[in-house]
Amino acid sequence: MRVSRLMLVTLRDDPAEAEITSHKLLLRAGYMRRLAPGIFAYLPLLWRVLQKVSAIVREEMAAVDALETLLPQLQPADLWRRSGRWDGYTAGEGIMFHLVDRQERSLGLGPTHEEVVTELASDLLRSYRQLPVCLYQIQTKFRDEIRPRFGLMRGREFIMKDAYSFHADEACLRRTYAAMDGAYRRIFERCGLRAVAVEADSGAIGGSASQEFMVTAEAGEDLILASPDGRYAANQERAVSLPAPPVPLEVSACQPLATPAQKSIEELCTAHGFDPTQTLKVLLLLARFAAAPPRGVLVCLRGDQQLNDVKLANAVTARCPDAGALLEIVPLLADHLCDPVPFGFLGPHLEDPALRQGEARVAAAPMLRLADPSAADLEAFVCGANRSDEHLVGARWGELCPRPEVVDLRAAQPGDRCLHDPSQRLEAARGIEVGHIFQLGRKYSEALEARFTNEAGGEEPLWMGCYGIGVSRLAQAAVEQHHDADGIRWPVAIAPYTVIVVIASSQDPVQVALAEELYERLRVGGCDVLLDDRPERAGVKFKDADLIGIPWRLVVGRAAGERKVELVDRSGDTGKRELAADAAVEQLLGLPGASP
RNA sequence: CGGGAUGUGGCGCAGCUUGGUAGCGCACUUCGUUCGGGACGAAGGGGCCGCAGGUUCGAAUCCUGUCAUCCCGACCA
């Protein structure tokens, strides 16, 4: 391709709309344009990158016997109601774009395809003899993100590879899951990305085991906690660790303590010399559901610990199976209550308060009472007395109130000791989630009655897995990981073009002739090559070549008369060197990806 | 939805405090000189100053409302 015909528009200044480097560079280098928040036009250069990523994905999917398909993006609400996800995905903070058609039928614009693919599987997969099967597609997904940001990192319309596998038993699911794990590692490696696999929360997709693939980068939205020995890595949403041991509380009996206006753990400890690990933190929350009245939640944590919202949401969802989708969990405020409670002085023995909805009292289920092990394991502790300006010192579970149900709710922090080896301490890194694989189990097949006949002749629900890669996000993550002060430095495997032939002086017919010849030879040889034939000064062309990040630059300049050219490695590894034109062509045609 | 910021030619910005009829850099067009790291000179085209209302002889500038975009939290590939 000739640069003069490429519709290349590069910008000198960083666009004001972009915050992080990769977003700025993709805009400046003419790879994309924003149409609306989270909605981008992929310009020809970016489309080539996305195609190259897709090609690698296709090869690796084929290697694990996955079948490419293309599934509908317009999806009937009814299907989503049957899986139980319509309300959660459309009401409240749901992310599904949805609409009503001329027949008054509700439709959603596919944010993911578990429902559609499961419906298809229930239709087509009748016998264990057909299993396992893995289907995948590379397609635009639609998600009405609460806050789109950072360009392709979190778009409302983005390209995703999603795969779904179906199995006769769990062992088979595990094998495919492991094969996908391997395929994913190869995909990211081939794309030139440094990625790490971490344990993850399954989120709205659900299922049991799940693992995320993170491209490590400062601009990443996720916090990764990992052990230095490399044996444990998890998203902070999911991470587990050992909290610091508590300082024992030396008291004989439970006694009240006057604590005027000491509402925070910090104030309490400062005033009376307690260590935060000796205190109990009681949080009052309100969970709202799609199909049930709101329910109060009382959470106990050790005073020095923080609540992990994701763990809490999972715990609440698991304990309210008939309430429909969990819409949100918010702090319980005085406005929600019929009678005041002494916020700041709460203890775990707080009686169920009556909830108010508008002006009406809600006949609420009893509060859900949960305690993190850090709180449940305390022998004796300091907690609120459920009376203003008063705490209890030396309270014990069993004496004060029954010990609540114990569930892991605390947020692991960098510096915490690891479970597998307490001498290791968790270290923090930021990551961009580019892939996520799940063992779904039978969640969708049970809901949508996707059953097969097993070897014994009985019917049972299919076992399922699903496996996603954010293709457009991956492209931007690559820029985030591979750039310098001059612009993008694409890994060769996903660069839009492998080589750019630059004519230093377009006025020199000798240079033009040689450049045209080399361009043609490279093109015919199967190399993805650009020819910068624009009547610009050399400096402009060099700057643009650096900015758009083509891995190899072949400069045809002063030495063209002796058929000598200059070859520059954008990655900076080998620098620039002068060599015979024929040798340069030979070398470039020998590069990976150069032949058709 | 809550908090913060910003809206001025295609892009990046100044002007607003103290109202007087819009400016700079980049980009674009033409001509000339230049020609290996974003050249220089000359000439030129392009702006309902986000939108609506108000104050005023007069509003980009002051007031009110509204919309949009970006950033921080809940969402996730």
Side-chain angles (χ1 to χ4, degrees), chain A residues 370-412:
Chain A
L370 303 171
D372 182 75
S374 64
D377 293 347
L378 289 173
E379 285 290 318
F381 48 83
V382 179
C383 69
N386 291 329
R387 281 190 294 275
S388 287
D389 302 329
E390 187 174 321
H391 280 75
L392 298 176
V393 181
R396 290 169 197 275
W397 298 113
E399 294 175 8
L400 184 67
C401 63
R403 190 192 306 255
E405 188 178 356
V406 180
V407 52
D408 176 33
L409 293 172
R410 58 179 279 276

Side-chain angles (χ1 to χ4, degrees), chain A residues 414-432:
Chain A
D416 284 351
R417 295 169 302 154
C418 299
L419 285 180
H420 74 275
D421 177 359
S423 73
Q424 300 270 320
R425 290 188 181 270
L426 290 176
E427 294 176 345
R430 300 214 64 93
I432 301 164

Side-chain angles (χ1 to χ4, degrees), chain A residues 496-520:
Chain A
Y497 291 90
T498 309
V499 180
I500 181 166
V501 177
V502 176
I503 308 174
S505 171
S506 303
Q507 276 84 55
D508 181 346
V510 178
Q511 291 184 24
V512 172
L514 181 60
E516 290 278 356
E517 177 202 324
L518 300 179
Y519 166 63
E520 190 60 17

Side-chain angles (χ1 to χ4, degrees), chain A residues 214-230:
Chain A
M214 296 281 191
V215 169
T216 48
E218 276 305 306
E221 294 184 85
D222 289 279
L223 187 67
I224 303 167
L225 294 177
S227 64
D229 65 7

Side-chain angles (χ1 to χ4, degrees), chain A residues 48-49 51-53 55-56 187 189-192 490-496 498 528 551 592-593:
Chain A
R48 289 185 66 96
V49 173
Q51 290 296 315
K52 291 207 170 179
V53 173
I56 291 170
I187 288 167
E189 191 189 332
R190 286 183 61 187
C191 287
W490 289 111
V492 179
I494 62 172
T498 309
D528 285 330

Side-chain angles (χ1 to χ4, degrees), chain A residues 88-304:
Chain A
Y89 266 76
T90 56
E93 301 196 326
I95 55 160
M96 182 152 61
F97 289 105
H98 52 286
L99 57 116
V100 177
D101 70 11
R102 63 176 70 229
Q103 313 286 358
E104 305 277 303
R105 288 175 297 225
S106 286
L107 297 165
L109 219 39
T112 176
H113 278 72
E114 283 81 14
E115 280 76 3
V116 170
V117 80
T118 307
E119 178 81 349
L120 209 57
S122 76
D123 185 12
L124 296 169
L125 299 175
R126 306 283 173 77
S127 161
Y128 75 95
R129 291 172 192 276
Q130 292 172 286
L131 301 172
V133 165
C134 185
L135 294 170
Y136 80 97
Q137 57 175 348
I138 296 174
Q139 184 200 52
T140 297
K141 291 281 184 279
F142 298 90
R143 292 185 186 173
D144 193 1
E145 292 286 345
I146 298 160
R147 188 153 86 84
R149 58 184 145 171
F150 302 148
L152 304 181
M153 290 298 190
R154 181 172 299 282
R156 295 193 294 167
E157 185 185 308
F158 62 97
I159 300 175
M160 174 163 153
K161 187 283 305 186
D162 48 327
Y164 305 87
S165 66
F166 299 91
H167 312 268
D169 55 56
E170 190 170 14
C172 180
L173 166 59
R174 291 222 176 95
R175 284 193 296 277
T176 296
Y177 182 83
M180 281 290 176
D181 179 20
Y184 272 43
R185 289 170 199 266
R186 286 191 296 278
I187 288 167
F188 300 128
E189 191 189 332
R190 286 183 61 187
C191 287
L193 294 170
R194 295 184 300 278
V196 295
V198 305
E199 287 182 18
D201 179 72
S202 305
I205 307 291
S208 50
S210 103
Q211 183 171 278
E212 289 170 337
F213 293 85
M214 296 281 191
V215 169
T216 48
E218 276 305 306
E221 294 184 85
D222 289 279
L223 187 67
I224 303 167
L225 294 177
S227 64
D229 65 7
R231 286 171 58 199
Y232 181 78
N235 193 312
Q236 192 191 24
E237 299 176 343
R238 162 87 182 194
V240 290
S241 64
L242 293 171
V247 176
L249 187 62
E250 308 287 353
V251 285
S252 48
C254 181
Q255 301 216 329
L257 176 69
T259 52
Q262 291 156 19
K263 290 188 163 195
S264 69
I265 301 276
E266 193 186 346
E267 288 164 337
L268 180 70
C269 291
T270 307
H272 303 280
F274 297 127
D275 187 86
T277 64
Q278 299 172 321
T279 67
L280 196 74
K281 185 190 284 186
V282 174
L283 303 173
L284 262 191
L285 303 154
L286 188 70
R288 295 188 201 278
F289 299 94
R295 187 162 177 195
V297 182
L298 185 148
V299 172
C300 298
L301 287 165
R302 203 172 73 191
D304 60 318

